[in-house]
Amino acid sequence: MTKFQDTAAYVVSIIKRDYAPDYRSIPPHGRWQHFEVGGRPRIDQLLATWPLSVDNQERTRRLLDLFLVSVLLDAGAGPGWSYKSKESGKVYRRSEGLAVASLEMFRTGMFSSDPDQPFQVDPVGLKRLNEQQLAKGLQVSESNPIAGLEGRAGLLSRLADALGNEEYFGATGRPGNMLGLSVLFARLSGTDIL
C-alpha cells in the first residue's frame, strides 16, 4: 500500500492526458467488449440464434449464465496460450481469447447437463466437466499451455456447489436465476430491506 497514492496519481494523469476534458469518451472495458473482439457483435449474433419463443427473461438468464462462467474462467492465461476461434479461424489471446473460448463452449452446451438446452449453465453440467474436457474446450496442449487450468476447473466445480443454494439460484441451480432476486430487490423499498 506504500505505492497506492503514486499509482493512483499515475492512473489519473494518464486519464487526463488521454481523455480530458471529455471523460465520457473513455471507452467501456468489460466482458461484453471482450466478447466483441475484432469488431464482431458475438452476443447479438448469439441472441439472434434463439427463437422468438425464448422470452426476454430467459434470454437474460442465459446471458447471466454465460457471463458468470466466462468471467470466472478469465484469469491470467499466461504468455504462451491462445485460442483459435472455431467460427472465424482467428486467433485470440488473453481475456479476449478466454471470452471467445467460453462463448464457443457455451454454445456447444459444455456447461449444461441438458442436451436439449445447451444455452445454460447448471450444477450438474459443471460437475460433469473435468479438467481434461476444459483443456480441450480451451485448446490447451503442450504447445499451447494455459496458466492455472487446474484452478479454473476447481473454480467451476465450486461454482456448481454454490449453485445448489436454491434461495439464490432456484431449483435448477442456474446463475441466471439471480434475475429473480434482482427483480425482487428492485421492487423493495429501502425500508423493506432494513
Side-chain angles (χ1 to χ4, degrees), residues 4-26:
F4 183 77
Q5 290 295 332
D6 292 340
T7 303
Y10 175 73
V11 170
V12 168
S13 74
I14 296 298
I15 291 170
K16 286 180 177 178
R17 180 195 74 196
D18 293 351
Y19 297 103
D22 184 15
Y23 295 111
R24 291 181 186 193
S25 68
I26 297 173

Side-chain angles (χ1 to χ4, degrees), residues 64-78:
L64 286 169
D65 286 356
L66 167 62
F67 275 67
L68 181 67
V69 167
S70 185
V71 167
L72 290 178
L73 286 174
D74 189 4

